[in-house]
Amino acid sequence: VYVVKEDGIYEISGGGDRVIDADWDGDVLSYSYAGNIYILEKGTGVIKRFTAGELGFSDGANWISDGVEPDLKGTISWTIDGSIWLLSSSGKVSLYSLGNPQAFNISGISPPFSSPKAIYTSEDLESIYILDQENSRVVVVDKKGNFKAQYKSEVIKDTYDLAVSEKEGKIILLNGGKLYSIEVRHLD
């Protein structure tokens, strides 16, 4: 488990040691995937990948391809399944693969997102799950952007993150200091 602080990234389980010195500016989001750590710099449009090795992590290299200049300022959540999925505060989902933007549009959602909070997927999941607090729902779309299902519950209004196991058939919601689960039914 890693945490981001002003001066770098710390490994919690390793005695709280700093494993990466901060070399980013402004507001950032972090993600750990396949043993590597990714830092999304909202203001600069850069996603840095710190590759894990025997002696620690490499210096951060820009994961975005040369010549690509994404606008990451509105990014509120992201997830990685080999590709990178970005959720903006407007509800737009952007997809990047091998450092390049890919065409991706969501269709069939009604009402549109008004206050999305988090996005979740993994290489083990068939779908993308988007937490929409204001509409008290979790929206499910496939990785081509087609609407699959939505799950509604009043507890979602105060939920700020989620995780999903399609194998276990559960959406786990983080709400304050409590975890709630919703049974996934759209896979039947």
Side-chain angles (χ1 to χ4, degrees):
V1 175
Y2 301 96
V3 295
V4 178
K5 295 184 178 182
E6 279 187 26
D7 62 342
I9 299 174
Y10 290 78
E11 183 176 13
I12 299 298
S13 60
D17 295 333
R18 185 170 53 197
V19 294
I20 297 172
D21 292 330
D23 68 345
W24 50 82
D25 292 318
D27 196 14
V28 299
L29 298 174
S30 64
Y31 205 91
S32 177
Y33 176 77
N36 302 317
I37 295 177
Y38 294 78
I39 294 290
L40 181 149
E41 294 182 37
K42 291 184 179 187
T44 63
V46 170
I47 296 175
K48 291 184 180 177
R49 177 177 58 196
F50 298 86
T51 306
E54 288 183 25
L55 300 175
F57 288 94
S58 67
D59 291 336
N62 190 0
W63 182 84
I64 299 292
S65 295
D66 289 340
V68 176
E69 297 180 10
D71 180 4
L72 304 177
K73 289 180 183 87
T75 304
I76 57 169
S77 180
W78 64 325
T79 189
I80 301 176
D81 67 354
S83 296
I84 292 181
W85 302 84
L86 307 172
L87 176 64
S88 74
S89 56
S90 68
K92 179 172 175 32
V93 175
S94 302
L95 169 62
Y96 285 80
S97 182
L98 301 174
N100 294 296
Q102 305 296 308
F104 184 79
N105 292 303
I106 295 177
S107 62
I109 295 176
S110 182
F113 294 120
S114 58
S115 182
K117 190 68 171 174
I119 186 169
Y120 187 84
T121 195
S122 73
E123 67 274 0
D124 298 326
L125 299 180
E126 296 176 9
S127 300
I128 301 161
Y129 296 79
I130 301 166
L131 176 66
D132 183 13
Q133 275 184 325
E134 193 164 307
N135 291 309
S136 298
R137 65 184 176 166
V138 174
V139 174
V140 184
V141 296
D142 66 19
K143 293 185 179 181
K144 295 185 188 302
N146 301 307
F147 174 80
K148 290 298 180 189
Q150 69 180 0
Y151 298 92
K152 297 189 96 173
S153 171
E154 281 303 310
V155 76
I156 295 172
K157 272 210 184 294
D158 298 318
T159 297
Y160 54 90
D161 210 351
L162 76 162
V164 179
S165 171
E166 289 176 345
K167 181 180 176 186
E168 298 296 324
K170 301 275 186 206
I171 299 171
I172 307 299
L173 304 169
L174 181 57
N175 180 312
K178 296 181 181 179
L179 294 175
Y180 294 90
S181 69
I182 297 175
E183 185 176 340
V184 173
R185 297 178 188 255
H186 71 278
L187 299 174
D188 297 335

